[in-house]
Amino acid sequence: MTVLSSVFKPAALALLVSLSLQVQAQSQAVTGLVVDSQGQPVANAKVHVHGRQQYVYTNAAGEFTIQSPLDAELHIAAKGFGDQFVKADQTQLKIALTAGGIERIAVSASGLHHYDLEMAHPVSVLSGEALSLKTAPTIGETLKSLPGVHSNYYGPVAASPVIRGLDGPRVKLLSNGLDTGDVSRVGPDHAITADAITTEQIEVLRGPATLLYGSGAIGGVVNVVDNRIPRQLRAPQTILDSRFNSVSDEKSLALTHDGSVDQLAWHFDGFDRQSNDHDVPTFTNDEGETSDKLANSWLDNQALNGGLSWVGSQGLFGVSVGHIDSQYGIPGHHAHGDEHTDEHNEEDHADHAEEGVYAAVKQDRVSLAGEIYSPIAGIETLSFTGAYTDYQHIEMEGAVAGTTFKNKSFENRLSVEHIELAGWHGLLGIHQQRNDYAAFGEEAFTPPSVSNSYALFLLEEKTFGEVTAQLGARVERTKHRADAIELAHEHEEDHDDEHEEHSSDFAKFTAASVSAGLVWNFVPGYQWAVSASRSERAPSAAEIYANGAHIATSSYELGLAYQLDDEGEILLNTNKMPAETANNIDIGFRKIDGDLTFSYNFFYNQIDNYLYQANTGLTMEDLAAHDHSGHDDEDAHDHAHGDFDIYQYQQNDVRMYGLEFALAYQVDSAQQVSLFADSVRASLKDGGDLPRIPPIKAGVEYQYQAQAWSANVGATHYARQNKVSEFESATASYTSIDASLSYYFDLSSIDMTAFIKGSNLTDKLGYVHSSFIKDDAPLPGRALTLGITARF
């Protein structure tokens, strides 16, 4: 914690001292009422202080109170209504919203307080009741219905988002703008620690977003936004959410509480989720076994988070702490041996452990955030965010720890937002991140490593009549270091002293990224959006140093630090490792007003030196055949996995292109019909397709919104994927039909929502092409979810 203290303490002290100074900016408490065109209150409308990350929601009576600067502009938005901007020039306001149009949502990950419809880059935001109904135990499954987004589904226990065919180290996973600090990008069986159940909104930036978030965002960004560091003084409110899901007997309970007194604001949230193995339509796996249940797919997750902020007219300073304790079965893993007996049944998960390996995850996180408004002439806001995360993932075999993954990360971002200069408004910032990663145990396929990155970034925008220009640039220096790397496939016997080791202080990269975009409101209600970017990505430590059996993917992974000769010998790679470079263009056409709204997006991405895993055609048995240790006995672990294919990280030029489409038609004030579709193709420049690229997805949804209830029914079709790489099989098509019904009522002055949701109502057997274990992990079968939410 010494490094953490040296980073956080000076920043915190500077912010507190600065906030104690008197500046000219003043604030006021603004109360208001939001109604529709008939004068009826609009509940859950978002009231946002334009240019700041401060917002509140209206209550059931349409009322709100928000702390706002005297000259601020308030943005009011609600689902199904056109939004409005109003000046906070009175302490009491009444705002009438008109039905129709697209709800404009502030995107905190944009950097410059953009709304989604103001960004040249395509973005999707899931929030409110839509997020509540889509919430799943994993972020990937929660977001998979959004245009351009799929899931790499490692069963229902661990699923990360796939954006435009890219995932893993190319998609940045953020919690309130900072990295989640887990190791979900090292292996698909490692769950993301962020959870949707206590989240206010989830933002998905499709396409390169490296300017703010660095190399790991070359494919896109997923930002999970909550109020754990309060940024607004709010009247006390508590939200209690309880659910039951029939497909796995899942039971969950979540609590969120916000409040304030004087200038002190607080937040608390927590959840408990438990489930059994998931039911699936009857299927036959690769080994010829038939089952109607996905073995080892149980969950037992808990989390607690708390935050405290001082919020004043000159700025704010806040801190949050969080703890996650999670256990989940890992489909496809099996415990080695039968040494675990009934003596372990006293453990909470011993009954599950008998079925296979499970993960025990713990994470502690401390976050800081501060803002100073108008600290000096010419500066609008000085902002600081930082987080320290201590993460541990142990793969348990009964009561015995198998493989342990640890990661200690700390991240800091400091930005200065300036007033308009010659019409240009923007920010300049610095970004630092450090990851201290270690893995040990029989399935540790990457050595311990330390990664450091430092970056300088700039974002600017200017409006020319109906055209807004957006420019950005970033320079980042990344360095990976592993204490030592081994040349050959080794057996851990008596000859460790004979292992040839090599210093690995050679993985240093400088990545530069630039971006330019235009948003043209060429006629009222219509937009063209064009963006072009050149983004560079430094390889991750795992992509460089991997050398071992990766049980989750049933493969032996070999990183860039090594190379295979023609006889299957592992040698040290002395060739230069170039950064991955993506040259991307996005073209979008949008209709944002009226009863009919839509958006088209076309993208083309030429990625030079694309880093991917190529099947070498060799197996672990071939490595064993070239082991010169002089011993005849083969290691039991390697023998058990001798049929694992060897995948070598290689670099090649890749072309990716695709389409995304979304349309909504407001039939009348109560009814809406929506359509959506997306498609992506990815091929090597020298010929052949990339593996695990999602198929075409298309869907339709009908929504009905009454005063006291709402309903929707929809169908999503996933086409057959036969554009496959060498050694990869095609995946059949399937269609999932879903429906939900919600009822709103009051109970002793408590706002209540009761809902029932049906998923995969036809019990269709479906496989996810982007999954590493698709043939052994079909999607869940027919499921009914019952839930009730109380707000008071």
Side-chain angles (χ1 to χ4, degrees):
M1 295 292 289
T2 303
V3 177
L4 174 67
S5 299
S6 67
V7 174
F8 279 169
K9 284 184 177 179
L13 181 61
L15 282 167
L16 288 172
V17 171
S18 299
L19 290 173
S20 67
L21 300 177
Q22 292 295 318
V23 294
Q24 294 182 347
Q26 297 182 12
S27 64
Q28 60 182 346
V30 178
T31 61
L33 177 65
V34 180
V35 298
D36 61 18
S37 55
Q38 279 75 46
Q40 297 299 311
V42 177
N44 294 319
K46 188 174 184 179
V47 182
H48 171 250
V49 180
H50 183 56
R52 294 186 182 179
Q53 294 187 44
Q54 294 176 274
Y55 56 89
V56 295
Y57 292 92
T58 59
N59 60 20
E63 301 166 336
F64 70 89
T65 299
I66 191 168
Q67 202 73 19
S68 165
L70 292 175
D71 57 347
E73 191 174 41
L74 299 182
H75 172 247
I76 299 92
K79 183 180 180 182
F81 295 89
D83 55 342
Q84 281 201 30
F85 289 89
V86 297
K87 278 288 187 180
D89 51 5
Q90 304 177 49
T91 56
Q92 292 185 334
L93 300 171
K94 184 175 182 180
I95 303 101
L97 299 181
T98 303
I102 298 179
E103 178 186 2
R104 196 184 306 253
I105 302 176
V107 181
S108 63
S110 65
L112 284 173
H113 320 291
H114 285 138
Y115 298 97
D116 51 352
L117 300 180
E118 298 174 346
M119 298 178 64
H121 237 63
V123 60
S124 299
V125 180
L126 195 59
S127 63
E129 187 173 5
L131 173 59
S132 178
L133 291 174
K134 297 289 186 183
T135 293
T138 63
I139 295 297
E141 290 296 285
T142 299
L143 300 176
K144 69 178 184 179
S145 63
L146 296 177
V149 183
H150 291 252
S151 167
N152 71 358
Y153 192 72
Y154 200 92
V157 297
S160 297
V162 179
I163 301 179
R164 294 179 170 180
L166 300 176
D167 63 347
R170 295 181 179 87
V171 173
K172 197 77 165 180
L173 302 171
L174 308 175
S175 176
N176 296 309
L178 297 174
D179 195 284
T180 55
D182 53 42
V183 296
S184 58
R185 281 140 288 184
V186 174
D189 59 327
H190 297 172
I192 301 171
T193 51
D195 200 289
I197 198 168
T198 56
T199 291
E200 295 196 355
Q201 72 180 38
I202 304 179
E203 304 162 351
V204 180
L205 279 62
R206 306 195 299 274
T210 58
L211 298 181
L212 280 177
Y213 302 109
S215 288
I218 200 169
V221 162
V222 174
N223 186 33
V224 178
V225 182
D226 52 51
N227 196 45
R228 287 173 185 165
I229 296 183
R231 296 175 180 270
Q232 178 60 246
L233 302 174
R234 301 183 180 183
Q237 183 184 56
T238 300
I239 301 175
L240 190 63
D241 183 278
S242 180
R243 303 178 183 220
F244 172 79
N245 189 321
S246 65
V247 80
S248 61
D249 296 327
E250 177 188 322
K251 304 175 187 69
S252 67
L253 181 66
L255 173 71
T256 303
H257 174 76
D258 293 284
S260 65
V261 59
D262 296 328
Q263 291 182 300
L264 192 66
W266 62 81
H267 171 91
F268 172 83
D269 72 71
F271 69 86
D272 184 4
R273 177 193 292 116
Q274 299 183 34
S275 78
N276 295 321
D277 288 344
H278 286 64
D279 296 331
V280 297
T282 302
F283 78 106
T284 302
N285 63 20
D286 280 344
E287 298 177 356
E289 301 170 337
T290 300
S291 178
D292 60 359
K293 194 173 286 289
L294 182 58
N296 221 27
S297 60
W298 55 272
L299 290 159
D300 191 349
N301 306 335
Q302 295 83 34
L304 286 175
N305 300 278
L308 197 65
S309 293
W310 182 91
V311 182
S313 60
Q314 294 85 39
L316 63 89
F317 176 77
V319 59
S320 72
V321 294
H323 175 75
I324 294 172
D325 192 342
S326 175
Q327 296 83 34
Y328 59 90
I330 305 178
H333 279 242
H334 303 283
H336 302 298
D338 55 3
E339 67 274 23
H340 308 306
T341 63
D342 290 341
E343 66 182 1
H344 301 303
N345 287 344
E346 295 179 1
E347 300 292 331
D348 290 343
H349 308 290
D351 53 338
H352 293 297
E354 291 178 359
E355 302 174 16
V357 176
Y358 72 93
V361 175
K362 292 184 184 295
Q363 178 175 285
D364 294 300
R365 183 177 175 96
V366 180
S367 301
L368 295 179
E371 295 180 353
I372 307 175
Y373 308 133
S374 305
I376 60 175
I379 302 300
E380 280 189 8
T381 305
L382 176 65
S383 301
F384 167 79
T385 55
Y388 172 81
T389 306
D390 189 348
Y391 171 92
Q392 176 179 275
H393 171 118
I394 304 177
E395 293 183 357
M396 303 290 297
E397 301 180 12
V400 178
T403 306
T404 299
F405 301 86
K406 292 186 176 183
N407 189 50
K408 293 183 178 181
S409 69
F410 60 92
E411 182 178 8
N412 299 282
R413 185 192 307 274
L414 178 67
S415 62
V416 178
E417 183 177 352
H418 65 77
I419 63 173
E420 287 194 5
L421 300 173
W424 289 93
H425 171 243
L427 61 82
L428 175 69
I430 56 175
H431 183 200
Q432 173 271 333
Q433 188 170 5
R434 174 186 173 92
N435 285 287
D436 190 345
Y437 166 83
F440 43 90
E442 64 180 11
E443 297 178 10
F445 62 97
T446 54
S449 61
V450 176
S451 301
N452 287 284
S453 68
Y454 304 88
L456 179 69
F457 59 88
L458 175 70
L459 298 178
E460 295 289 338
E461 68 175 9
K462 182 176 182 178
T463 299
F464 303 86
E466 299 299 328
V467 177
T468 299
Q470 300 169 0
L471 303 175
R474 179 186 179 100
V475 177
E476 177 180 82
R477 179 67 171 171
T478 300
K479 177 181 176 180
H480 304 297
R481 178 180 175 84
D483 292 338
I485 58 176
E486 296 179 350
L487 262 183
H489 173 62
E490 306 291 347
H491 294 290
E492 298 191 47
E493 298 176 343
D494 304 324
H495 296 278
D496 288 342
D497 56 339
E498 297 178 3
H499 293 175
E500 184 175 2
E501 297 180 339
H502 295 261
S503 172
S504 59
D505 189 14
F506 64 94
K508 302 177 182 178
F509 304 89
T510 299
S513 300
V514 293
S515 176
L518 295 174
V519 179
W520 178 28
N521 297 284
F522 64 101
V523 295
Y526 290 84
Q527 291 181 342
W528 280 103
V530 180
S531 65
S533 63
R534 183 183 186 278
S535 307
E536 293 184 335
R537 182 181 80 91
S540 68
E543 291 170 319
I544 296 173
Y545 301 124
N547 183 7
H550 192 177
I551 311 303
T553 59
S554 298
S555 65
Y556 189 100
E557 296 185 9
L558 204 58
L560 284 175
Y562 311 92
Q563 60 183 351
L564 280 171
D565 66 10
D566 295 337
E567 298 181 353
E569 289 279 2
I570 298 177
L571 306 174
L572 182 67
N573 181 15
T574 58
N575 298 324
K576 179 178 174 58
M577 295 177 286
E580 196 174 270
T581 303
N583 299 284
N584 184 83
I585 184 168
D586 259 283
I587 300 175
F589 178 60
R590 310 164 184 161
K591 183 179 185 296
I592 60 176
D593 287 338
D595 293 332
L596 177 67
T597 58
F598 57 77
S599 66
Y600 293 89
N601 277 99
F602 169 79
F603 66 91
Y604 180 86
N605 200 357
Q606 169 71 48
I607 308 179
D608 298 331
N609 302 312
Y610 182 86
L611 185 57
Y612 68 104
Q613 291 178 322
N615 193 323
T616 64
L618 301 174
T619 67
M620 286 183 64
E621 290 181 349
D622 297 312
L623 291 184
H626 289 90
D627 177 37
H628 302 301
S629 61
H631 293 267
D632 295 329
D633 295 332
E634 189 172 10
D635 180 88
H637 176 256
D638 291 340
H639 179 73
H641 306 300
D643 60 343
F644 279 11
D645 292 330
I646 300 175
Y647 283 80
Q648 168 76 64
Y649 278 99
Q650 298 181 2
Q651 291 185 290
N652 207 330
D653 295 343
V654 166
R655 296 180 304 165
M656 306 186 76
Y657 58 90
L659 289 166
E660 297 151 354
F661 169 73
L663 177 148
Y665 176 61
Q666 195 76 34
V667 180
D668 54 34
S669 60
Q671 302 179 82
Q672 179 177 286
V673 177
S674 302
L675 304 173
F676 59 90
D678 63 58
S679 172
V680 59
R681 285 293 312 276
S683 59
L684 297 170
K685 186 177 180 181
D686 295 337
D689 293 297
L690 284 179
R692 301 189 307 105
I693 298 300
I696 294 173
K697 176 182 69 182
V700 59
E701 184 177 41
Y702 169 78
Q703 298 175 330
Y704 188 90
Q705 180 72 56
Q707 187 70 26
W709 62 278
S710 65
N712 68 63
V713 59
T716 304
H717 178 73
Y718 292 83
R720 172 180 171 83
Q721 179 58 289
N722 54 13
K723 306 294 184 182
V724 296
S725 66
E726 190 176 9
F727 306 110
E728 185 183 27
S729 62
T731 303
S733 64
Y734 67 94
T735 301
S736 178
I737 298 178
D738 309 311
S740 68
L741 176 66
S742 299
Y743 176 63
Y744 318 107
F745 61 100
D746 293 333
L747 182 64
S748 299
S749 301
I750 299 176
D751 297 333
M752 306 289 295
T753 301
F755 68 88
I756 181 171
K757 180 178 71 172
S759 304
N760 193 12
L761 291 174
T762 58
D763 204 32
K764 181 70 174 178
L765 179 63
Y767 296 94
V768 180
H769 185 76
S770 49
S771 171
F772 282 93
I773 57 170
K774 68 169 186 176
D775 294 326
D776 293 322
L779 289 164
R782 182 187 297 111
L784 290 179
T785 301
L786 301 175
I788 189 162
T789 303
R791 292 178 174 84
F792 53 93

mmCIF file of all heavy atoms in Angstrom, residues 582-604:
data_model
loop_
_atom_site.group_PDB
_atom_site.id
_atom_site.type_symbol
_atom_site.label_atom_id
_atom_site.label_comp_id
_atom_site.label_asym_id
_atom_site.label_seq_id
_atom_site.Cartn_x
_atom_site.Cartn_y
_atom_site.Cartn_z
ATOM 1 N N ALA A 582 -4.734 -0.374 -35.743
ATOM 2 C CA ALA A 582 -6.074 -0.430 -36.332
ATOM 3 C C ALA A 582 -6.375 0.889 -37.041
ATOM 4 O O ALA A 582 -6.301 1.964 -36.435
ATOM 5 C CB ALA A 582 -7.117 -0.690 -35.253
ATOM 6 N N ASN A 583 -6.695 0.794 -38.327
ATOM 7 C CA ASN A 583 -7.131 1.953 -39.107
ATOM 8 C C ASN A 583 -8.624 1.781 -39.369
ATOM 9 O O ASN A 583 -9.040 0.920 -40.154
ATOM 10 C CB ASN A 583 -6.357 2.037 -40.420
ATOM 11 C CG ASN A 583 -4.864 2.201 -40.178
ATOM 12 O OD1 ASN A 583 -4.387 3.264 -39.827
ATOM 13 N ND2 ASN A 583 -4.117 1.113 -40.347
ATOM 14 N N ASN A 584 -9.428 2.575 -38.668
ATOM 15 C CA ASN A 584 -10.872 2.348 -38.619
ATOM 16 C C ASN A 584 -11.631 3.550 -39.161
ATOM 17 O O ASN A 584 -11.271 4.705 -38.909
ATOM 18 C CB ASN A 584 -11.305 2.087 -37.179
ATOM 19 C CG ASN A 584 -12.776 1.748 -37.059
ATOM 20 O OD1 ASN A 584 -13.169 0.590 -37.250
ATOM 21 N ND2 ASN A 584 -13.609 2.733 -36.738
ATOM 22 N N ILE A 585 -12.708 3.270 -39.897
ATOM 23 C CA ILE A 585 -13.625 4.318 -40.327
ATOM 24 C C ILE A 585 -15.046 3.890 -40.001
ATOM 25 O O ILE A 585 -15.425 2.727 -40.201
ATOM 26 C CB ILE A 585 -13.478 4.632 -41.836
ATOM 27 C CG1 ILE A 585 -14.386 5.807 -42.213
ATOM 28 C CG2 ILE A 585 -13.754 3.414 -42.698
ATOM 29 C CD1 ILE A 585 -14.110 6.385 -43.586
ATOM 30 N N ASP A 586 -15.806 4.809 -39.441
ATOM 31 C CA ASP A 586 -17.207 4.591 -39.090
ATOM 32 C C ASP A 586 -18.059 5.626 -39.814
ATOM 33 O O ASP A 586 -17.748 6.828 -39.785
ATOM 34 C CB ASP A 586 -17.422 4.757 -37.584
ATOM 35 C CG ASP A 586 -17.520 3.443 -36.861
ATOM 36 O OD1 ASP A 586 -18.592 2.804 -36.951
ATOM 37 O OD2 ASP A 586 -16.530 3.059 -36.208
ATOM 38 N N ILE A 587 -19.137 5.158 -40.422
ATOM 39 C CA ILE A 587 -20.088 6.067 -41.070
ATOM 40 C C ILE A 587 -21.475 5.742 -40.525
ATOM 41 O O ILE A 587 -21.920 4.583 -40.590
ATOM 42 C CB ILE A 587 -20.080 5.915 -42.601
ATOM 43 C CG1 ILE A 587 -18.681 6.222 -43.151
ATOM 44 C CG2 ILE A 587 -21.110 6.834 -43.244
ATOM 45 C CD1 ILE A 587 -18.553 5.984 -44.641
ATOM 46 N N GLY A 588 -22.153 6.751 -39.982
ATOM 47 C CA GLY A 588 -23.466 6.544 -39.406
ATOM 48 C C GLY A 588 -24.490 7.523 -39.946
ATOM 49 O O GLY A 588 -24.173 8.675 -40.243
ATOM 50 N N PHE A 589 -25.710 7.044 -40.080
ATOM 51 C CA PHE A 589 -26.832 7.892 -40.513
ATOM 52 C C PHE A 589 -27.961 7.680 -39.502
ATOM 53 O O PHE A 589 -28.349 6.532 -39.226
ATOM 54 C CB PHE A 589 -27.286 7.507 -41.922
ATOM 55 C CG PHE A 589 -28.467 8.295 -42.412
ATOM 56 C CD1 PHE A 589 -28.398 9.674 -42.518
ATOM 57 C CD2 PHE A 589 -29.648 7.665 -42.765
ATOM 58 C CE1 PHE A 589 -29.478 10.414 -42.969
ATOM 59 C CE2 PHE A 589 -30.737 8.384 -43.224
ATOM 60 C CZ PHE A 589 -30.650 9.768 -43.322
ATOM 61 N N ARG A 590 -28.487 8.781 -38.928
ATOM 62 C CA ARG A 590 -29.454 8.681 -37.849
ATOM 63 C C ARG A 590 -30.661 9.586 -38.086
ATOM 64 O O ARG A 590 -30.512 10.691 -38.591
ATOM 65 C CB ARG A 590 -28.820 9.088 -36.511
ATOM 66 C CG ARG A 590 -27.508 8.433 -36.192
ATOM 67 C CD ARG A 590 -26.786 9.175 -35.073
ATOM 68 N NE ARG A 590 -25.470 8.627 -34.785
ATOM 69 C CZ ARG A 590 -24.507 9.296 -34.134
ATOM 70 N NH1 ARG A 590 -24.737 10.533 -33.709
ATOM 71 N NH2 ARG A 590 -23.335 8.729 -33.912
ATOM 72 N N LYS A 591 -31.813 9.100 -37.690
ATOM 73 C CA LYS A 591 -33.025 9.923 -37.570
ATOM 74 C C LYS A 591 -33.394 9.895 -36.097
ATOM 75 O O LYS A 591 -33.658 8.834 -35.530
ATOM 76 C CB LYS A 591 -34.166 9.386 -38.415
ATOM 77 C CG LYS A 591 -35.422 10.267 -38.378
ATOM 78 C CD LYS A 591 -36.530 9.692 -39.262
ATOM 79 C CE LYS A 591 -37.726 10.646 -39.319
ATOM 80 N NZ LYS A 591 -38.372 10.815 -38.004
ATOM 81 N N ILE A 592 -33.416 11.069 -35.464
ATOM 82 C CA ILE A 592 -33.505 11.120 -34.009
ATOM 83 C C ILE A 592 -34.786 11.758 -33.497
ATOM 84 O O ILE A 592 -35.014 11.785 -32.282
ATOM 85 C CB ILE A 592 -32.291 11.864 -33.421
ATOM 86 C CG1 ILE A 592 -32.227 13.305 -33.947
ATOM 87 C CG2 ILE A 592 -31.000 11.120 -33.736
ATOM 88 C CD1 ILE A 592 -31.113 14.132 -33.324
ATOM 89 N N ASP A 593 -35.646 12.291 -34.369
ATOM 90 C CA ASP A 593 -36.886 12.927 -33.949
ATOM 91 C C ASP A 593 -38.081 12.262 -34.609
ATOM 92 O O ASP A 593 -37.957 11.625 -35.668
ATOM 93 C CB ASP A 593 -36.889 14.420 -34.298
ATOM 94 C CG ASP A 593 -35.969 15.224 -33.402
ATOM 95 O OD1 ASP A 593 -35.670 14.743 -32.287
ATOM 96 O OD2 ASP A 593 -35.550 16.321 -33.806
ATOM 97 N N GLY A 594 -39.242 12.443 -33.998
ATOM 98 C CA GLY A 594 -40.474 11.924 -34.578
ATOM 99 C C GLY A 594 -40.808 10.521 -34.108
ATOM 100 O O GLY A 594 -40.105 9.916 -33.296
ATOM 101 N N ASP A 595 -41.915 10.001 -34.620
ATOM 102 C CA ASP A 595 -42.370 8.669 -34.228
ATOM 103 C C ASP A 595 -41.472 7.561 -34.772
ATOM 104 O O ASP A 595 -41.368 6.495 -34.171
ATOM 105 C CB ASP A 595 -43.805 8.446 -34.720
ATOM 106 C CG ASP A 595 -44.798 9.339 -34.006
ATOM 107 O OD1 ASP A 595 -44.530 9.719 -32.849
ATOM 108 O OD2 ASP A 595 -45.845 9.677 -34.595
ATOM 109 N N LEU A 596 -40.831 7.815 -35.906
ATOM 110 C CA LEU A 596 -39.916 6.843 -36.499
ATOM 111 C C LEU A 596 -38.483 7.316 -36.311
ATOM 112 O O LEU A 596 -38.112 8.394 -36.779
ATOM 113 C CB LEU A 596 -40.207 6.651 -37.989
ATOM 114 C CG LEU A 596 -39.262 5.690 -38.730
ATOM 115 C CD1 LEU A 596 -39.449 4.265 -38.219
ATOM 116 C CD2 LEU A 596 -39.482 5.768 -40.233
ATOM 117 N N THR A 597 -37.691 6.524 -35.599
ATOM 118 C CA THR A 597 -36.278 6.854 -35.405
ATOM 119 C C THR A 597 -35.452 5.629 -35.804
ATOM 120 O O THR A 597 -35.902 4.486 -35.684
ATOM 121 C CB THR A 597 -35.979 7.214 -33.939
ATOM 122 O OG1 THR A 597 -36.343 6.120 -33.092
ATOM 123 C CG2 THR A 597 -36.751 8.458 -33.524
ATOM 124 N N PHE A 598 -34.240 5.886 -36.280
ATOM 125 C CA PHE A 598 -33.379 4.777 -36.675
ATOM 126 C C PHE A 598 -31.929 5.227 -36.706
ATOM 127 O O PHE A 598 -31.617 6.428 -36.669
ATOM 128 C CB PHE A 598 -33.782 4.218 -38.047
ATOM 129 C CG PHE A 598 -33.773 5.229 -39.166
ATOM 130 C CD1 PHE A 598 -32.600 5.658 -39.753
ATOM 131 C CD2 PHE A 598 -34.976 5.761 -39.637
ATOM 132 C CE1 PHE A 598 -32.593 6.575 -40.778
ATOM 133 C CE2 PHE A 598 -34.979 6.693 -40.659
ATOM 134 C CZ PHE A 598 -33.788 7.097 -41.238
ATOM 135 N N SER A 599 -31.061 4.240 -36.791
ATOM 136 C CA SER A 599 -29.629 4.515 -36.953
ATOM 137 C C SER A 599 -28.999 3.381 -37.748
ATOM 138 O O SER A 599 -29.296 2.202 -37.522
ATOM 139 C CB SER A 599 -28.928 4.652 -35.599
ATOM 140 O OG SER A 599 -28.944 3.425 -34.891
ATOM 141 N N TYR A 600 -28.181 3.757 -38.737
ATOM 142 C CA TYR A 600 -27.367 2.815 -39.499
ATOM 143 C C TYR A 600 -25.909 3.110 -39.167
ATOM 144 O O TYR A 600 -25.509 4.270 -39.043
ATOM 145 C CB TYR A 600 -27.545 3.007 -41.006
ATOM 146 C CG TYR A 600 -28.900 2.675 -41.561
ATOM 147 C CD1 TYR A 600 -29.899 3.635 -41.619
ATOM 148 C CD2 TYR A 600 -29.180 1.412 -42.076
ATOM 149 C CE1 TYR A 600 -31.152 3.357 -42.152
ATOM 150 C CE2 TYR A 600 -30.420 1.116 -42.615
ATOM 151 C CZ TYR A 600 -31.400 2.098 -42.654
ATOM 152 O OH TYR A 600 -32.629 1.804 -43.182
ATOM 153 N N ASN A 601 -25.120 2.070 -39.047
ATOM 154 C CA ASN A 601 -23.682 2.237 -38.884
ATOM 155 C C ASN A 601 -22.946 1.235 -39.762
ATOM 156 O O ASN A 601 -23.261 0.039 -39.752
ATOM 157 C CB ASN A 601 -23.251 2.025 -37.432
ATOM 158 C CG ASN A 601 -23.430 3.244 -36.577
ATOM 159 O OD1 ASN A 601 -24.410 3.347 -35.852
ATOM 160 N ND2 ASN A 601 -22.505 4.191 -36.666
ATOM 161 N N PHE A 602 -21.991 1.749 -40.514
ATOM 162 C CA PHE A 602 -21.101 0.896 -41.297
ATOM 163 C C PHE A 602 -19.682 1.146 -40.809
ATOM 164 O O PHE A 602 -19.285 2.294 -40.587
ATOM 165 C CB PHE A 602 -21.183 1.219 -42.787
ATOM 166 C CG PHE A 602 -20.100 0.555 -43.601
ATOM 167 C CD1 PHE A 602 -20.191 -0.780 -43.952
ATOM 168 C CD2 PHE A 602 -18.964 1.269 -43.986
ATOM 169 C CE1 PHE A 602 -19.183 -1.402 -44.678
ATOM 170 C CE2 PHE A 602 -17.949 0.665 -44.713
ATOM 171 C CZ PHE A 602 -18.066 -0.676 -45.064
ATOM 172 N N PHE A 603 -18.915 0.082 -40.622
ATOM 173 C CA PHE A 603 -17.534 0.260 -40.190
ATOM 174 C C PHE A 603 -16.605 -0.623 -41.015
ATOM 175 O O PHE A 603 -16.984 -1.696 -41.499
ATOM 176 C CB PHE A 603 -17.368 -0.062 -38.700
ATOM 177 C CG PHE A 603 -17.593 -1.506 -38.336
ATOM 178 C CD1 PHE A 603 -16.543 -2.412 -38.314
ATOM 179 C CD2 PHE A 603 -18.862 -1.960 -38.005
ATOM 180 C CE1 PHE A 603 -16.753 -3.741 -37.988
ATOM 181 C CE2 PHE A 603 -19.080 -3.288 -37.669
ATOM 182 C CZ PHE A 603 -18.025 -4.186 -37.666
ATOM 183 N N TYR A 604 -15.397 -0.134 -41.182
ATOM 184 C CA TYR A 604 -14.324 -0.889 -41.834
ATOM 185 C C TYR A 604 -13.072 -0.702 -40.998
ATOM 186 O O TYR A 604 -12.687 0.422 -40.660
ATOM 187 C CB TYR A 604 -14.080 -0.397 -43.262
ATOM 188 C CG TYR A 604 -12.963 -1.156 -43.964
ATOM 189 C CD1 TYR A 604 -13.223 -2.343 -44.634
ATOM 190 C CD2 TYR A 604 -11.655 -0.683 -43.932
ATOM 191 C CE1 TYR A 604 -12.202 -3.048 -45.261
ATOM 192 C CE2 TYR A 604 -10.630 -1.381 -44.554
ATOM 193 C CZ TYR A 604 -10.912 -2.569 -45.218
ATOM 194 O OH TYR A 604 -9.904 -3.266 -45.829
#
